[in-house]
Amino acid sequence: MKHLILTTLLTACLLPSAAQKKQKAVAEEPKDPNEMVAYLFTYFNSNSPEDEQICYAISDDGYNYTPLNHGEPVISSDTIALTQCVRDPHILRGEDGKTFYMVVTDMKSNLGWASNRGIVLLKSTDLINWQHSTVNFPTKYTKAWKDVTRVWAPETIYDHQAGKYMVFYSLLKRDGGFDKIYYQYANDDFTDLEGEPKWLFDSGNATIDGDIVYNEADKLYHLFYKTEAGRGIFQATAKNLTDKWQMLPEHVDQTNRPVEGVGVCKAIDGQSWIIMYDCYSDGHYQFCKSTDLKTFEFVQNTETKGKFTPRHGTIIPITRAEKERLLKEYGNHKQPILPGFHADPEVMYSHLTKKYYIYSTTDGTPGWGGHDFSVFSSDNLIDWTDEGKMLDVKSDQVKWATGNAWAPAIEEVKQKDGSYKYYFYFSAHNPVSNSKEISVAVADHPVGPFTALDQPIISMKDAPEGVRSGQAIDVDVFTDPKSGKHYIYWGNGFMAGAELNDDMVSLKKETIVNLTPQGGTLETWNFREAPYVFYRKGQYYFLWSVDDTGSPNYHVCYATSKSPLGPLNLDESNYMVIRQRPEDKIYGTAHNSVLQIPGKDEWYIVYHRINKNYIDPHFAPGIHREVCIDRLTFDKKGKIVEVTPTLNGPFCK
């Protein structure tokens, strides 16, 4: 009897019921990629210049939004705008269903509220790659609008009567008066505006932030706008876009707080409308719902936190395929691991604090002109805390240098009394020799304070015999676990190595050797810079970077040795460590360090890559780098298995 019961139970578990079969069949039905399933929110974050950029957030219900790209911009303002800042993005799906149009205010608000003179037009077929052009009103309309003081909050709608896309916006002249809404039609490729601005509407006082939708139910266009009289959002209606608009008296907004930047969107259900506006003095967005565009019901305020502080934006429904494409491109992956632009990462595990640390070159400055180093800490390699700037070469901390703080290295050394010392190696510009040179700063803790030597310890005078060009940069320090001796490596255009004295701040110059790999090309293993050495299972691994730091081809190669000072053995069938994956928009993966988890044969490579928004040479890719981490593995013979750079990192499945 027990066997019968057990068999029956197993059969019930293993054989699907009719309901389960039906559920499985439903689950396996192919999903329509063109079904509208979510909403895309385009917005900017604040009045600070660094936040006046286009950002994306996504929602399944139209009211609760998650920022994409970790809240960072998806289009960099300095690549599209004359002022290098933009605000008020309005997005529209075109009549063909697959082309998108976006217009934004070309404005840097810290120059004043009467400082912008134009707008930016953008066009895309995938929501990721955008063509752009600027319209500067004083230079384009030299007679009627040469004294315009602001061109605010442009939007786009398709005019079926005209068969063209109308762009409308608010204008104000220097000679007084008040803001009024004007319009023009865009040319066929959406790169310019035709004719002169024409008056569309005003409420008899300052009228800005217009948004127009067509309501099939009442066959009317509805214009929503902000007026300074009455302090709120109102609306007007018309049968055609260029007809006289009939103003309605009722408030649209469901608050008595100051509001602006209204946006209205037909919901995916095809029945209701989502109404949103910026409660700018309270720091949040407010969302309402309407079924008829006559009555409006409060739904909720946005929860603003971290980098999600949305200002004056708009939303559109998006398809399943579009959502998946956006998530692939801008999903909140774990890479990069540090905020902002950083390069040349040096990773270290501290036995003193039991934490991991990354030291980096501060990036994003023209001419690699950063002058300080940052340090970040983590206890899990996932969440990183900014510990601040730990050394500034332009300050009194470093007396011999004036700038170009590059490519750090650090070594933790246990002292005889059980304490630890931290030797931080770096390169910087020496104005006396007018060249880059290497020196050291010392501390008792991984984050300092550090005390720097008064002079460099390595210059081009210390280059190996036969080297006539290059730079004394990209330092690496390695402690041999077999002998306990310390070694230093450096070079750009050549790879030099030497043994350090016990003081850790001077070289045994008689040990300097030339370790430069021979015979490679830019596509293979031609040495450029960034030597890095580690030891595993009887072998010394020498890694270096190939090609220019601004090149997509920038990659890492390796050779092995039986000694910390060579000679190197390069296997021509296995020399690649990591290289770009353009299909995932991952470029310029190089200049690395390597981390072994203490006590384990578990390894990680920490490297920088070029931010995908700056890969075009016009945007200076070599100074727009970000730090990433991936797993480093070996085959049974100890050869490095080429790393596939990821978007998620090694800890996110």
PDB file of all heavy atoms in Angstrom, residues 2-16:
ATOM      1  N   LYS A   2       1.975   1.202   0.809  1.00  0.00           N
ATOM      2  CA  LYS A   2       2.873   2.354   0.852  1.00  0.00           C
ATOM      3  C   LYS A   2       3.489   2.599  -0.521  1.00  0.00           C
ATOM      4  O   LYS A   2       3.642   3.730  -0.951  1.00  0.00           O
ATOM      5  CB  LYS A   2       3.971   2.118   1.888  1.00  0.00           C
ATOM      6  CG  LYS A   2       3.470   2.193   3.330  1.00  0.00           C
ATOM      7  CD  LYS A   2       4.607   1.967   4.285  1.00  0.00           C
ATOM      8  CE  LYS A   2       4.139   2.022   5.728  1.00  0.00           C
ATOM      9  NZ  LYS A   2       5.222   1.757   6.683  1.00  0.00           N
ATOM     10  N   HIS A   3       3.831   1.481  -1.210  1.00  0.00           N
ATOM     11  CA  HIS A   3       4.436   1.644  -2.534  1.00  0.00           C
ATOM     12  C   HIS A   3       3.444   2.243  -3.519  1.00  0.00           C
ATOM     13  O   HIS A   3       3.798   3.052  -4.361  1.00  0.00           O
ATOM     14  CB  HIS A   3       4.925   0.284  -3.043  1.00  0.00           C
ATOM     15  CG  HIS A   3       6.069  -0.260  -2.275  1.00  0.00           C
ATOM     16  ND1 HIS A   3       7.315   0.294  -2.273  1.00  0.00           N
ATOM     17  CD2 HIS A   3       6.131  -1.346  -1.446  1.00  0.00           C
ATOM     18  CE1 HIS A   3       8.131  -0.399  -1.489  1.00  0.00           C
ATOM     19  NE2 HIS A   3       7.427  -1.407  -0.974  1.00  0.00           N
ATOM     20  N   LEU A   4       2.185   1.890  -3.402  1.00  0.00           N
ATOM     21  CA  LEU A   4       1.157   2.426  -4.275  1.00  0.00           C
ATOM     22  C   LEU A   4       0.977   3.920  -4.058  1.00  0.00           C
ATOM     23  O   LEU A   4       0.887   4.693  -5.007  1.00  0.00           O
ATOM     24  CB  LEU A   4      -0.166   1.685  -4.037  1.00  0.00           C
ATOM     25  CG  LEU A   4      -1.361   2.188  -4.857  1.00  0.00           C
ATOM     26  CD1 LEU A   4      -1.071   2.072  -6.351  1.00  0.00           C
ATOM     27  CD2 LEU A   4      -2.625   1.420  -4.481  1.00  0.00           C
ATOM     28  N   ILE A   5       0.933   4.291  -2.771  1.00  0.00           N
ATOM     29  CA  ILE A   5       0.791   5.712  -2.450  1.00  0.00           C
ATOM     30  C   ILE A   5       1.983   6.502  -2.989  1.00  0.00           C
ATOM     31  O   ILE A   5       1.839   7.564  -3.591  1.00  0.00           O
ATOM     32  CB  ILE A   5       0.647   5.907  -0.934  1.00  0.00           C
ATOM     33  CG1 ILE A   5      -0.682   5.298  -0.465  1.00  0.00           C
ATOM     34  CG2 ILE A   5       0.709   7.389  -0.569  1.00  0.00           C
ATOM     35  CD1 ILE A   5      -0.823   5.274   1.045  1.00  0.00           C
ATOM     36  N   LEU A   6       3.200   5.964  -2.784  1.00  0.00           N
ATOM     37  CA  LEU A   6       4.404   6.653  -3.232  1.00  0.00           C
ATOM     38  C   LEU A   6       4.407   6.796  -4.749  1.00  0.00           C
ATOM     39  O   LEU A   6       4.714   7.854  -5.290  1.00  0.00           O
ATOM     40  CB  LEU A   6       5.642   5.877  -2.772  1.00  0.00           C
ATOM     41  CG  LEU A   6       7.002   6.466  -3.192  1.00  0.00           C
ATOM     42  CD1 LEU A   6       7.146   7.873  -2.628  1.00  0.00           C
ATOM     43  CD2 LEU A   6       8.136   5.567  -2.723  1.00  0.00           C
ATOM     44  N   THR A   7       4.013   5.709  -5.447  1.00  0.00           N
ATOM     45  CA  THR A   7       3.969   5.760  -6.906  1.00  0.00           C
ATOM     46  C   THR A   7       2.965   6.792  -7.389  1.00  0.00           C
ATOM     47  O   THR A   7       3.219   7.550  -8.330  1.00  0.00           O
ATOM     48  CB  THR A   7       3.608   4.382  -7.467  1.00  0.00           C
ATOM     49  OG1 THR A   7       4.562   3.431  -7.009  1.00  0.00           O
ATOM     50  CG2 THR A   7       3.582   4.397  -8.986  1.00  0.00           C
ATOM     51  N   THR A   8       1.802   6.829  -6.716  1.00  0.00           N
ATOM     52  CA  THR A   8       0.785   7.810  -7.087  1.00  0.00           C
ATOM     53  C   THR A   8       1.285   9.234  -6.895  1.00  0.00           C
ATOM     54  O   THR A   8       1.085  10.108  -7.744  1.00  0.00           O
ATOM     55  CB  THR A   8      -0.488   7.583  -6.241  1.00  0.00           C
ATOM     56  OG1 THR A   8      -0.927   6.246  -6.430  1.00  0.00           O
ATOM     57  CG2 THR A   8      -1.585   8.547  -6.662  1.00  0.00           C
ATOM     58  N   LEU A   9       1.974   9.461  -5.771  1.00  0.00           N
ATOM     59  CA  LEU A   9       2.508  10.799  -5.498  1.00  0.00           C
ATOM     60  C   LEU A   9       3.567  11.196  -6.513  1.00  0.00           C
ATOM     61  O   LEU A   9       3.593  12.323  -7.005  1.00  0.00           O
ATOM     62  CB  LEU A   9       3.089  10.848  -4.077  1.00  0.00           C
ATOM     63  CG  LEU A   9       2.070  10.819  -2.939  1.00  0.00           C
ATOM     64  CD1 LEU A   9       2.779  10.682  -1.606  1.00  0.00           C
ATOM     65  CD2 LEU A   9       1.206  12.066  -2.955  1.00  0.00           C
ATOM     66  N   LEU A  10       4.451  10.242  -6.840  1.00  0.00           N
ATOM     67  CA  LEU A  10       5.487  10.539  -7.824  1.00  0.00           C
ATOM     68  C   LEU A  10       4.891  10.838  -9.187  1.00  0.00           C
ATOM     69  O   LEU A  10       5.314  11.752  -9.886  1.00  0.00           O
ATOM     70  CB  LEU A  10       6.452   9.346  -7.939  1.00  0.00           C
ATOM     71  CG  LEU A  10       7.460   9.190  -6.800  1.00  0.00           C
ATOM     72  CD1 LEU A  10       8.200   7.870  -6.936  1.00  0.00           C
ATOM     73  CD2 LEU A  10       8.437  10.352  -6.776  1.00  0.00           C
ATOM     74  N   THR A  11       3.847  10.049  -9.544  1.00  0.00           N
ATOM     75  CA  THR A  11       3.187  10.286 -10.830  1.00  0.00           C
ATOM     76  C   THR A  11       2.559  11.663 -10.866  1.00  0.00           C
ATOM     77  O   THR A  11       2.650  12.398 -11.854  1.00  0.00           O
ATOM     78  CB  THR A  11       2.120   9.216 -11.079  1.00  0.00           C
ATOM     79  OG1 THR A  11       2.742   7.941 -11.043  1.00  0.00           O
ATOM     80  CG2 THR A  11       1.450   9.421 -12.429  1.00  0.00           C
ATOM     81  N   ALA A  12       1.938  12.052  -9.739  1.00  0.00           N
ATOM     82  CA  ALA A  12       1.307  13.373  -9.672  1.00  0.00           C
ATOM     83  C   ALA A  12       2.334  14.476  -9.797  1.00  0.00           C
ATOM     84  O   ALA A  12       2.069  15.542 -10.359  1.00  0.00           O
ATOM     85  CB  ALA A  12       0.530  13.512  -8.363  1.00  0.00           C
ATOM     86  N   CYS A  13       3.541  14.231  -9.239  1.00  0.00           N
ATOM     87  CA  CYS A  13       4.590  15.258  -9.307  1.00  0.00           C
ATOM     88  C   CYS A  13       5.229  15.326 -10.686  1.00  0.00           C
ATOM     89  O   CYS A  13       5.537  16.408 -11.188  1.00  0.00           O
ATOM     90  CB  CYS A  13       5.668  14.964  -8.264  1.00  0.00           C
ATOM     91  SG  CYS A  13       5.112  15.183  -6.566  1.00  0.00           S
ATOM     92  N   LEU A  14       5.421  14.138 -11.300  1.00  0.00           N
ATOM     93  CA  LEU A  14       6.189  14.101 -12.530  1.00  0.00           C
ATOM     94  C   LEU A  14       5.359  14.337 -13.778  1.00  0.00           C
ATOM     95  O   LEU A  14       5.841  14.852 -14.771  1.00  0.00           O
ATOM     96  CB  LEU A  14       6.903  12.745 -12.653  1.00  0.00           C
ATOM     97  CG  LEU A  14       7.958  12.470 -11.573  1.00  0.00           C
ATOM     98  CD1 LEU A  14       8.496  11.054 -11.722  1.00  0.00           C
ATOM     99  CD2 LEU A  14       9.092  13.473 -11.662  1.00  0.00           C
ATOM    100  N   LEU A  15       4.062  13.929 -13.734  1.00  0.00           N
ATOM    101  CA  LEU A  15       3.222  14.092 -14.908  1.00  0.00           C
ATOM    102  C   LEU A  15       2.382  15.339 -14.768  1.00  0.00           C
ATOM    103  O   LEU A  15       1.617  15.473 -13.813  1.00  0.00           O
ATOM    104  CB  LEU A  15       2.318  12.863 -15.071  1.00  0.00           C
ATOM    105  CG  LEU A  15       3.056  11.543 -15.333  1.00  0.00           C
ATOM    106  CD1 LEU A  15       2.037  10.417 -15.439  1.00  0.00           C
ATOM    107  CD2 LEU A  15       3.899  11.638 -16.594  1.00  0.00           C
ATOM    108  N   PRO A  16       2.454  16.290 -15.680  1.00  0.00           N
ATOM    109  CA  PRO A  16       1.702  17.530 -15.544  1.00  0.00           C
ATOM    110  C   PRO A  16       0.217  17.293 -15.700  1.00  0.00           C
ATOM    111  O   PRO A  16      -0.227  16.469 -16.489  1.00  0.00           O
ATOM    112  CB  PRO A  16       2.244  18.400 -16.688  1.00  0.00           C
ATOM    113  CG  PRO A  16       2.785  17.427 -17.682  1.00  0.00           C
ATOM    114  CD  PRO A  16       3.293  16.266 -16.895  1.00  0.00           C
TER     115      PRO A  16
END
